[in-house]
Amino acid sequence: MNAISHALLTFFVAMLVHLAIWRIRLPKKNRAIVLLNVFFWTLVLGVILLEGISSYTDYIVLYCCLAAAYIVSYPAMEADSPSLEIVRNIAKAGASGLEKGELYSTMTDEKLVVARVEDLLNDGLARLDSGKYMLTPKGRFLAGVFVWFRGLLNAPKGG
Amino acid sequence: MGDNGMHIFIPFIGLAANSLAQVAVFRFFPRIGLLRSVFFGFACGFIASLLVTPGAMSASNFAIYVLLGYCYFHFVNMGETARRIRILTELADAGNGLSLGEILGRYNSKDIIDRRLTRLINSGQIRCENGRCYTGNVTVLAMAGFLAAAKRIIFGEMR
């Protein structure tokens, strides 16, 4: 087996562990951290069991890239993407189409914004202080990275 | 580069070229659009990887480069579409925090829906006539189906 098959096998094991944890008891908070732990400890196990294989570095780097690709994709599975929801609702309406107003009435502030603000609190990126949402140092760092990158692209605020 | 373990840096050199090319092309030719700039950057990064590879590129290096490119695409896309990142940048802009009402004054469900409708219309995924919207190209609809299936596997049911 080469680095690719070893990395895929380890990734598959990590996915099984991830699925088992999520199915048995879905973590309430910091799911990204739990996910990182699952991938990290599976790698540690893989590194111990597969010690001495050729292209060891390729195996570790490839596995880390597979894990990173999954972790960055995970939020899209957890939170409903508004674009996908719009497309799904329009498709459900069939050939007669969907009135735009129906989108505004079903996709509310509560669902699209307030739920994401709650996520920021749960992930420790923001805190609620006397009725005001403030950034934590972690949140300020993350916001800074994106403000810097959007500035580099000369692009306006996203969202 | 000789094969003394240094070959593992090749995909990272490709990623650096990818991000430099993407930022440069989007900054100086914004009309190209974000998605096309990402594809352009990916191609440039791949060519750069080939140029620094002695002989043929290994399959594992190719896989690592593709995965790194995918992660970079997600990073760019998060700045463009992620609601959490937009809320974080609004909180960073405000400095002294924002109440929920103030957040919704700056960013709300109507903004979110309008931005997405514009993107979906521009990419041909939907078309809107006389206040009604209809399904166009089915790429995003297929993606919605794929994500729904992934959700069923991970969470066990539709959430």
Side-chain angles (χ1 to χ4, degrees), chain A residues 65-131:
Chain A
C65 289
L66 279 167
Y70 180 75
I71 290 168
V72 297
S73 307
Y74 177 78
M77 284 180 266
E78 195 171 72
D80 273 327
S81 149
S83 297
L84 297 186
E85 199 174 337
I86 290 171
V87 168
R88 243 190 334 249
N89 287 344
I90 293 172
K92 262 190 217 158
S96 57
L98 184 76
E99 202 178 321
K100 260 188 193 178
E102 279 186 48
L103 290 172
Y104 297 113
S105 59
T106 53
M107 299 173 75
T108 59
D109 284 337
E110 192 68 34
K111 196 171 170 183
L112 296 181
V113 184
V114 180
R116 298 287 76 83
V117 174
E118 292 298 320
D119 284 346
L120 295 180
L121 293 179
N122 288 337
D123 292 340
L125 295 166
R127 62 188 162 82
L128 187 57
D129 194 352
S130 312

Side-chain angles (χ1 to χ4, degrees), chain A residues 3-4 15 18-19 22-23 26 31 57-58 61-62 65-66 68-70 72-84 86-88 90-105 107-109 111-114 116-117 119-120 123 125-126 128 131-135 139-140 142-159, chain B residues 5 7-8 12 22-24 26-27 34 58-61 63-64 67-68 70-72 74-76 78-93 95-100 102-104 106-117 119-121 125-126 128 131-135 137 140-141 143-145 147-148 150-159:
Chain A
I4 295 179
M15 286 299 291
H18 157 49
L19 283 182
W22 259 237
R23 289 289 191 97
L26 183 67
R31 286 187 197 142
T57 324
D58 293 37
V61 174
L62 186 53
C65 289
L66 279 167
Y70 180 75
V72 297
S73 307
Y74 177 78
M77 284 180 266
E78 195 171 72
D80 273 327
S81 149
S83 297
L84 297 186
I86 290 171
V87 168
R88 243 190 334 249
I90 293 172
K92 262 190 217 158
S96 57
L98 184 76
E99 202 178 321
K100 260 188 193 178
E102 279 186 48
L103 290 172
Y104 297 113
S105 59
M107 299 173 75
T108 59
D109 284 337
K111 196 171 170 183
L112 296 181
V113 184
V114 180
R116 298 287 76 83
V117 174
D119 284 346
L120 295 180
D123 292 340
L125 295 166
L128 187 57
K132 292 222 170 200
Y133 291 91
M134 320 276 279
L135 290 178
R140 198 169 298 116
L142 192 60
V145 168
F146 281 96
V147 167
W148 170 78
F149 185 69
R150 298 292 289 177
L152 210 58
L153 288 176
N154 203 19
K157 279 178 189 166
Chain B
H7 71 277
I8 206 67
F12 294 91
Q22 188 273 324
V23 167
F26 188 79
R27 189 177 172 94
L34 201 62
S58 70
S60 60
N61 264 3
I64 292 168
L67 290 165
L68 289 173
Y70 176 77
C71 291
Y72 181 68
H74 259 277
F75 172 70
V76 173
M78 273 170 77
E80 180 68 9
T81 64
R83 288 166 287 161
R84 273 184 278 203
I85 300 300
R86 171 62 188 265
I87 298 165
L88 279 180
T89 53
E90 290 297 347
L91 291 175
D93 271 359
N96 291 324
L98 293 170
S99 67
L100 187 58
E102 287 168 331
I103 293 174
L104 292 172
R106 291 166 177 239
Y107 184 57
N108 52 48
S109 56
K110 189 177 180 313
D111 294 331
I112 294 170
I113 295 168
D114 288 343
R115 277 167 175 264
R116 277 147 183 88
L117 282 175
R119 278 189 216 129
L120 290 167
I121 291 168
Q125 300 297 323
I126 61 167
C128 293
R132 294 191 83 79
C133 299
Y134 305 88
T135 302
N137 185 325
V140 173
L141 189 59
M143 212 189 299
L147 276 178
K151 253 183 184 180
R152 268 194 294 273
I153 294 169
I154 294 165
F155 299 103
E157 57 185 72
M158 283 302 286
R159 287 150 29 103

